[in-house]
Amino acid sequence: MSTVIEQAVEARLIASVPRMPSIPATLRYDVRDPYAVRMAFPAPATLEGIDVSWTFARELLAAGVDQAAGDGDVRVRPYGYDRTVLEFHAPEGTAIVHVRTGELRRFLRRAGAVVPAGREHLHLDVDGDLAELLRDAC
């Protein structure tokens, strides 16, 4: 049985076209992928007009609410007293969103209650994943 935590957040898209002052986004944590979180954006908020989902390390999100973190496709940093900036870099361009830090902390607490940080390895099914990989290779 899988445990999935989903939380709606209000993200403020910076320099968006078409201009949308705030957009609904969804944070998702799935025990089957214990190191990762996903942030999904609805089609109207994207230039391509399709739903977009970014997957990145839970550890990156946790670090980024307190200090700048990340140097790849996803970067997270505090902004002012109660906001956190998430930057998503892709070949098509960069999306920058602000999210209330309290919402991110609440999501991280909920995920941490299911799988405490540092205990993710206990939730991996290495044997099952390897068997599936080998099965697909044949």
Side-chain angles (χ1 to χ4, degrees):
M1 182 172 106
S2 175
T3 301
V4 176
I5 294 172
E6 285 193 345
Q7 179 176 316
V9 295
E10 183 177 299
R12 184 161 187 218
L13 194 57
I14 306 303
S16 62
V17 177
R19 184 144 178 82
M20 297 180 74
S22 65
I23 56 170
T26 303
L27 288 167
R28 187 172 203 268
Y29 180 76
D30 188 335
V31 172
R32 292 175 297 183
D33 192 3
Y35 289 100
V37 296
R38 286 170 183 73
M39 189 166 196
F41 298 94
T46 68
L47 293 175
E48 296 83 16
I50 58 171
D51 292 345
V52 172
S53 180
W54 285 81
T55 302
F56 51 97
R58 175 173 71 156
E59 182 178 59
L60 172 66
L61 184 61
V65 296
D66 293 318
Q67 62 186 8
D71 57 6
D73 294 341
V74 179
R75 300 172 192 170
V76 184
R77 70 179 183 280
Y79 182 78
Y81 175 71
D82 66 343
R83 299 278 178 177
T84 298
V85 173
L86 291 97
E87 294 181 17
F88 301 98
H89 298 263
E92 301 82 16
T94 300
I96 301 172
V97 297
H98 290 184
V99 178
R100 287 188 182 95
T101 303
E103 291 184 80
L104 297 176
R105 289 188 192 282
R106 189 175 110 214
F107 173 76
L108 289 165
R109 275 194 305 273
R110 292 177 64 209
V114 175
V115 178
R119 312 283 290 174
E120 295 91 349
H121 66 283
L122 298 175
H123 296 270
L124 294 175
D125 181 12
V126 176
D127 292 335
D129 292 342
L130 182 59
E132 183 177 333
L133 180 66
L134 292 175
R135 184 185 66 240
D136 291 344
C138 295

